[in-house]
Amino acid sequence: ALAADVLLENLSAKATAALAVRALLAQHPAIDPGDITYVLNSGEEAVGDRYQRGGGNLAKAVAEVAGLANSTGADVKAFCCAPVHALVIAGALIAAGVHRRVLVIGGGCVAKLAMKSNGHLKASMPILEDVLAGFAVLVGPPGETGPELRLDVVGRHDVRCGSASLKIIESLVSEPLARVGRTITGVDRYAVELHNAEVTEPSGSGDVPRTNYRTLGSLAVRHGLIPPTSVEEFHRTFGLPGFSPTQGSVASAVPFMPHALRMMAEGTLTTAMFIAKGSLFLGKMTRMSDGISVLMEQR
């Protein structure tokens, strides 16, 4: 677990997450790094020691290199669902008064560079998956300028939900919205797995965001909110094009966060739901899928 290739993966995840944190602080000089007291890392690396792979804490390592002297933290592991899990945990820690500001981060995954390259080469295309991405989202106390994470509108893919696509989307979207008297068409935009289709289609994985939005549109048809002929229009109205590298958790909903914040500040967006789905069966410990969602609203 301390071989050179593993250390490279961990260092790359640490460096890209730290760069994202530094960029956030540089773009918002009014934020005092000393006010950030907790960091949640949601990347896919597995920092371990000479005996085991994944018991470490990259969150605190990133906090150290980014100069967050008053911070502690922990890692959240949930494959592609981890960033949204971490956002919900961050909001809950703040609402409970445990912390005032919580930083949610994630670094890029070296193991997934050129992950789809066989498909590109077979299609006589260049290898497109050649970038590492990182992100940092600062969650602060209620009442400050900016939108609110609606902790009363959190969708959960419970164990009982099974693996049918429509049932997963129902548990993540229509059920939490119904709790507060809203419907699927009552949200301005949905952010799903935003993989870049230019990367995934040549390898046979299809247009991942489009597939998700068509499933969501089909659910809206099932609830009588739109006619069956309007599924594609639903995608254009409520969805987004995929634009993120397929860096696992990095692509899962959170790439829309800075754009949503900008649009809400401009007054062109009021609500956005961030939906993450994960493949827990990849770890060979279960056959279940995973999923979580949360609504962000400008009030």
Side-chain angles (χ1 to χ4, degrees):
L2 296 179
D5 56 335
V6 178
L7 289 175
L8 175 63
E9 291 180 11
N10 293 338
L11 284 169
S12 298
K14 176 183 176 181
T16 45
L19 283 170
V21 176
R22 288 181 174 180
L24 184 150
L25 295 174
Q27 293 167 13
H28 300 279
I31 296 173
D32 181 0
D35 287 344
I36 302 171
T37 56
Y38 206 69
V39 180
L40 286 168
N41 168 53
S42 59
E44 288 191 311
E45 70 298 313
V47 178
D49 60 21
R50 61 180 177 151
Y51 295 112
Q52 51 76 39
R53 218 20 235 282
N57 184 346
L58 196 63
K60 201 162 185 178
V62 172
E64 176 191 30
V65 76
L68 307 181
N70 295 332
S71 288
T72 185
D75 292 357
V76 177
K77 296 299 180 192
F79 282 125
C80 297
C81 286
V84 179
H85 276 297
L87 283 172
V88 172
I89 293 169
L93 286 170
I94 292 167
V98 178
H99 294 282
R100 179 175 168 79
R101 298 187 192 279
V102 178
L103 190 62
V104 175
I105 63 172
C109 185
V110 167
K112 290 187 173 178
L113 284 174
M115 183 171 63
K116 307 290 184 180
S117 59
N118 285 341
H120 299 154
L121 295 174
K122 287 178 182 177
S124 300
M125 294 175 61
I127 295 173
L128 300 177
E129 194 76 69
D130 60 352
V131 296
L132 289 174
F135 66 88
V137 181
L138 182 62
V139 184
E144 288 193 337
T145 303
E148 177 185 354
L149 283 175
R150 293 287 304 271
L151 297 180
D152 57 339
V153 192
V154 173
R156 308 182 312 272
H157 179 261
D158 298 331
V159 171
R160 60 185 167 81
C161 289
S163 57
S165 296
L166 207 60
K167 180 59 179 175
I168 292 174
I169 287 292
E170 194 167 40
S171 68
L172 298 180
V173 180
S174 58
E175 288 181 7
L177 288 173
R179 291 199 297 266
V180 293
R182 299 195 188 185
T183 65
I184 295 170
T185 52
V187 175
D188 296 334
R189 290 280 174 172
Y190 291 93
V192 296
E193 297 165 290
L194 295 172
H195 300 309
N196 185 347
E198 292 177 328
V199 174
T200 57
E201 284 187 318
S203 66
S205 300
D207 187 333
V208 176
R210 183 174 182 270
T211 300
N212 279 289
Y213 289 124
R214 286 185 62 83
T215 304
L216 186 52
S218 298
L219 185 60
V221 171
R222 187 176 176 181
H223 286 204
L225 299 170
I226 62 172
T229 55
S230 297
V231 172
E232 282 298 328
E233 183 181 346
F234 179 92
H235 178 192
R236 291 189 294 271
T237 303
F238 296 96
L240 301 160
F243 62 91
S244 176
T246 60
Q247 291 289 311
S249 59
V250 168
S252 198
V254 288
F256 181 55
M257 181 69 73
H259 306 286
L261 292 171
R262 173 180 53 79
M263 293 166 71
M264 287 180 177
E266 294 170 350
T268 58
L269 187 75
T270 302
T271 54
M273 179 169 267
F274 294 82
I275 305 168
K277 295 190 297 177
S279 307
L280 294 183
F281 49 83
L282 295 176
K284 310 302 183 188
M285 295 292 105
T286 178
R287 293 183 179 180
M288 286 191 299
S289 299
D290 190 18
I292 186 167
S293 65
V294 66
L295 185 72
M296 187 170 76
E297 183 171 27
Q298 179 68 52
R299 286 185 164 182

